[in-house]
Amino acid sequence: MAALAPVFRKAYWALILGVSFYIAALTALANPWLQRHPEQFGFAKNQITPFNFTTPDHETIYAWHVMPLGLYAKHESEILQQPSGLADDITQTTAFRLLRDDPDSRLIINSDLPQNAGTVAQGWRTDSYRSLSDGSSSNIHILAIDYRGFGLSTGFPTEEGLITDGVAAVDWALQVAKVPSDRIVILGQSLGTAVTSAVAEHYAMKGINFAGVVLVAGFTSLAELLPGYSIAGYLPVLSPLKSTPAILELFSSKLVDKWPSASRIANFVRMSKRVRLFILHAKDDYEIPWTQSEGLFAAAANATTEGGMDLELLRKMKARTTVDTGDGTFISTWKAGENKIIRQEVVAYGHHSRVLTYATVSLAALKAFGLDEGGALPVSSLEVDAESDYNHLIL
């Protein structure tokens, strides 16, 4: 046991420092004044409408509806006349009416929950809203929420509870805002990719297809992530236990929340009639290694073939689809028939959260909505048909 003392000592101090950092982050990020004054983040007056909705288990979820700037410009005088701050009834606002009544409006449901402490106003999230919705002809609205237990929402976060919140956000869009699912993209970053994967699976079971699903800086499962995960890139969680596999396995087995994203995204692909799945990661992500996205891509691609395939065959097929974009980055596009397309892109820079503001994420949303120049995915030089390639390689 004496030999294990340094390992436990490192794990102990990592835990103490991590908890201290976590509490400090929560204190700052949950500041109500910051969240209730979106103009502090550079938005136009009343471009963001804060509001609440209620989940099926009676939690109150705080949300932002972010108007696209081009649309805001066309209706600025009317919007400026409306009260600022939390909307008592969002359905009575001009912004909501423009979302609901425009047959060309589109909605990105932002399921970000970065670093386990996400709020609508955290870090790069506000910058990402602008990059996704700005533009003179844009009609892309954003819905972002504080998950239960964070920011201005009630409750305590659990895996089941966060998924309930994500489903409730989509239900609000479908049932209250009346936005059809084929005009909705659900987007998640970091832990938000786990929520997004679960939400996508939930609606696939109901036969509901979205315009697209975007996963940024995701991971395959919590048990597979934690041995290599470091808080802010510096504070290891379980990596000090790598030298003692039995203890590491014991810790992993005690996880209450599992977040099996790889299996959930595979189920989503398998059950959906139409798939536009984008898996994005930065090579310099110091919190979640980009290789975690390899596992997500493999799970999703494997789900497009009946009975699946072994890993070596999948790697050969992927190699035929991969385009080297320099600096160790690449794009792989996997096509199964006409309706299932999976695109993985690894970019050189963006770290863990800043990548949300990069053109890669905005382009994924535009492609999902069919707003790229070609009007559809994928670019012919990047595509592979999984069925034809599978038959070719096994013969």
Side-chain angles (χ1 to χ4, degrees):
M1 291 299 292
L4 294 178
V7 173
F8 283 114
R9 196 157 45 242
K10 287 181 181 179
Y12 171 78
W13 283 110
L15 179 62
I16 294 297
L17 290 171
V19 170
S20 299
F21 177 84
Y22 180 74
I23 292 173
L26 280 183
T27 302
L29 295 170
N31 188 317
W33 189 89
L34 289 175
Q35 291 196 63
R36 289 172 176 159
H37 294 79
E39 291 80 13
Q40 295 295 317
F41 300 98
F43 293 97
K45 185 72 172 179
N46 291 347
Q47 184 184 356
I48 290 179
T49 306
F51 70 102
N52 292 324
F53 63 86
T54 303
T55 65
D57 57 348
H58 310 296
E59 298 295 351
T60 298
I61 302 301
Y62 179 79
W64 277 2
H65 169 207
V66 186
M67 278 193 69
L69 189 60
L71 185 62
Y72 174 94
K74 296 176 183 178
H75 300 271
E76 182 182 22
S77 59
E78 182 182 357
I79 293 168
L80 287 175
Q81 294 175 21
Q82 297 199 318
S84 299
L86 187 72
D88 293 330
D89 183 357
I90 191 173
T91 66
Q92 300 303 308
T93 65
T94 299
F96 177 85
R97 175 175 55 80
L98 293 170
L99 168 64
R100 181 193 60 197
D101 296 345
D102 180 2
D104 293 322
S105 67
R106 293 168 172 83
L107 180 66
I108 296 175
I109 300 179
N110 207 299
S111 295
D112 300 345
L113 193 56
Q115 300 156 336
N116 297 345
T119 75
V120 289
Q122 180 188 7
W124 295 100
R125 291 187 74 185
T126 53
D127 290 327
S128 75
Y129 306 153
R130 279 194 297 274
S131 66
L132 288 167
S133 64
D134 283 2
S136 59
S137 60
S138 174
N139 57 2
I140 298 176
H141 299 245
I142 310 292
L143 174 65
I145 71 171
D146 279 347
Y147 283 90
R148 65 182 62 200
F150 298 116
L152 302 180
S153 294
T154 64
F156 181 82
T158 63
E159 180 171 354
E160 181 182 3
L162 297 182
I163 295 170
T164 297
D165 297 344
V167 169
V170 175
D171 282 345
W172 179 89
L174 294 172
Q175 299 169 14
V176 180
K178 306 296 184 183
V179 181
S181 62
D182 61 1
R183 287 197 271 125
I184 294 174
V185 163
I186 53 175
L187 182 154
Q189 187 259 349
S190 192
L191 180 56
T193 63
V195 179
T196 298
S197 299
V199 171
E201 179 189 41
H202 172 88
Y203 284 97
M205 291 178 181
K206 294 186 170 186
I208 295 176
N209 301 297
F210 296 103
V213 175
V214 181
L215 307 179
V216 184
F219 58 93
T220 55
S221 72
L222 200 56
E224 293 179 356
L225 169 66
L226 287 180
Y229 178 74
S230 296
I231 299 172
Y234 297 103
L235 304 174
V237 178
L238 292 182
S239 58
L241 301 179
K242 282 184 177 179
S243 59
T244 54
I247 297 177
L248 178 60
E249 185 177 349
L250 176 63
F251 268 82
S252 298
S253 69
K254 300 299 182 182
L255 290 172
V256 176
D257 296 330
K258 306 296 184 182
W259 292 113
S261 294
S263 62
R264 283 172 171 162
I265 211 67
N267 286 337
F268 154 71
V269 170
R270 194 175 294 112
M271 292 185 292
S272 297
K273 292 183 178 179
R274 181 185 183 278
V275 172
R276 296 294 184 272
L277 173 63
F278 300 80
I279 301 170
L280 312 174
H281 220 124
K283 195 91 173 181
D284 63 355
D285 189 331
Y286 49 77
E287 293 194 33
I288 297 179
W290 70 270
T291 50
Q292 285 283 317
S293 286
E294 294 276 80
L296 289 173
F297 179 87
N302 214 6
T304 64
T305 61
E306 187 174 352
M309 66 188 81
D310 64 63
L311 186 59
E312 186 58 33
L313 178 57
L314 188 143
R315 285 174 177 166
K316 289 180 180 179
M317 291 178 63
K318 183 182 179 183
R320 295 164 63 90
T321 83
T322 300
V323 174
D324 185 347
T325 49
D327 297 321
T329 65
F330 61 87
I331 298 172
S332 295
T333 305
W334 184 281
K335 179 180 177 184
E338 293 298 321
N339 293 321
K340 294 187 179 183
I341 301 170
I342 301 158
R343 179 181 170 109
Q344 180 190 12
E345 183 166 2
V346 174
V347 298
Y349 309 105
H351 297 290
H352 185 62
S353 297
R354 189 176 181 180
V355 69
L356 277 172
T357 68
Y358 282 27
T360 301
V361 177
S362 298
L363 282 171
L366 293 176
K367 288 176 180 294
F369 285 131
L371 297 177
D372 52 322
E373 186 176 350
L377 265 174
V379 178
S380 59
S381 62
L382 301 182
E383 73 177 50
V384 64
D385 188 292
E387 184 176 357
S388 63
D389 248 38
Y390 177 76
N391 291 334
H392 172 79
L393 287 171
I394 63 175
L395 293 176

